[in-house]
Amino acid sequence: MGPEEQEAMKLILNASLAATVFAWNRARREDVLTSIQCGFSFLHISIPISDLHIYDKLKTNREQVLKQLEHTIGLAKSHGCRVSVGAEDASRATCEQFLQVAELAARLGAERIRYADTIGRLDPFSTYEKMLPIMAACPIPVEFHGHNDFGLATANTLAACQAGTQYASTTIAGIGERAGNASMEEVAQALRVMFHYQTTVDSQKTNQLTKMLEQILDRTSENFFNQPVMKPYFRCPHPYN
Amino acid sequence: MVRPPIFVDQTLNQGLKQNLSPDQLAELVRYMTELGLTDADIQVAAWQSLGRNFMPPFAQYRAVIDPCVHQVENACKSGFKIVNIAIFYHENVETDSLLLALVTAKRLGLNTVLQIRNASELSTQAIGDFVASLEWSGLDSIMFCDEAGLLDPMTTYHTCMELKKRIAVELEFCAYNKMGLATANTLAALRAGIRKVTTAVAGIDSYAAFEEIVLGYRFLLNQPIEISSNLAPLSRTVVSCLGREVAVNKPIIGHHVFAHESGIHVDGVIKNPELYEPFAPELVGLSRRLVIGKHSGTASLKAKFLSWNLPLTDFDASLLLGIVRRKAINQKSPLNDCQLIDLYDEMLGRGLGCEAGGDEICRAEKKYSLSIQRYGMVNKRPVLFSQRRKSWQ
């Protein structure tokens, strides 16, 4: 985390939001300490759990990664922080590998684990199939984090909810790395309309929020083909150009 | 799922709705053919307004009409070989005119498709019974539409499986993106063994996006299908023919979908692209991009400059990173390559000389900065700038 990001983090914390704000960390001592320094009392600590990421990216082995997780959770806990654990690239790991991390996390006092489909390679059917055995055995609540590389982030998040995951990871208008993540409006709307969930998401306010975001990102909201759930995929050339 | 799916396109129809000129439409048709899209639904009236000299419709073009004998004859006269009769089904639906239209179409030697626009609101029982009552007219296929966007992928799959058992004619599927589920539902229908699905290039007009279905069919359903090596550029061209621009984050074809910004992702992609890419960008005619912005790390900067044959030292990279991050935060977006080069030049003090023209100090600075770069002493250079630039603050 650079100084500018730390500044931003502090601003978010000081905005005294009703939401629970937590900081994303790699399983590294320096990350955890910086977050604590910024004033966070809830930390998300992420490790990759697929062989590909462990051997090709971190160039280490599974024992080492788990040991690192153990140390960083211990460090966070010793500062009195609440902890959530992230399992990066879980969709390319096995169910057993995920549960191994979940059990370790639970034993160390983490209260939630995130299942990340890091490259968006799941479809709703495989999501459901993979989440069912996990939900049956996982000792702590699970959060599903989908990516939109095949345009399926919303559908996958819904399928995970159908399989029983307690948390859905979403972003406003689905912004995110590459093709983005699941969009909060779409997931909330679909859960409300199709599965009759009670959500606290106010659709009018999310529309305002989406518009605000589009202004900030310079994506105009015209030409969305009257979709009630907006997805800023197209934009019109500026009328005066 | 042995034979590849057939895509019934709606993009051309959108072009007709937007009153594109015959030349523009002919161009559009050329691009669509290049994409392998030869089946399309067409509004007959709009097609006829192009005049008699416009190209005859392809054999697989389907005239979308109301259940009316006059319109069937009209479509036949315009050269269509297939009619797509669109209806809303309800309990007291008028079947006489529909049957008459179907029979007339058959008599004229046309293939017939019945489009049930509100099919997702009906029970499979109701659809099955309704279709059974029409079968004697020689109906060729049923197009199941989800105009209200009520379906989720699981329901789509089960509905399609059940309907396939209930009806004897071919079943087609058409999803709408009201809930952002058009792609997921269309793939679910393909999984259920449906062969003809409705799509539009880049998902225009709230249909399922053609590119997402093609790639999803290949990589998620693991079925063989030909992927045009020019898929993304062609799709973008089609969208620009319609006067629109594809958003940067549009899956498969957007400008940003193979862009990597955060330090962790860039570091990973440099080691092995498979870490953060579901398939190689070249497969759809795109290339990987390293984006430099506020989430960048020194690894990204070094990789970016190395790609321009300008290796950065650790010190330079971390110095430049601070400047880059501040700039990206200020402008609330990543930096483009020109901005990056400008900042780099500024850091080395090159930009100042040019701006100040004949200024003696600046010229000295410029000369100095160039010479120290030559001798590899960049890191030891003291700050010599006569003025601080705004972008530095």
Side-chain angles (χ1 to χ4, degrees), chain B residues 308-327:
Chain B
W308 295 328
N309 230 350
L310 277 171
L312 285 185
T313 62
D314 284 343
F315 182 85
D316 274 359
S318 56
L319 191 63
L320 187 58
L321 185 67
I323 305 165
V324 162
R325 281 188 169 176
R326 272 197 294 281
K327 175 112 182 158

Side-chain angles (χ1 to χ4, degrees), chain A residues 36-87:
Chain A
I36 292 170
Q37 230 166 37
C38 287
F40 281 94
S41 55
F42 194 167
L43 306 184
H44 179 85
I45 301 175
S46 181
I47 54 161
I49 69 161
S50 67
D51 285 343
L52 185 71
H53 272 237
I54 290 175
Y55 294 105
D56 277 30
K57 187 178 74 170
L58 297 186
K59 311 228 181 260
T60 172
N61 55 45
R62 192 169 295 274
E63 290 72 48
Q64 202 57 41
V65 172
L66 291 179
K67 208 186 274 174
Q68 234 177 318
L69 180 68
E70 201 170 332
H71 285 175
T72 38
I73 294 181
L75 179 64
K77 281 277 163 191
S78 73
H79 283 83
C81 291
R82 295 166 66 193
V83 173
S84 135
V85 167

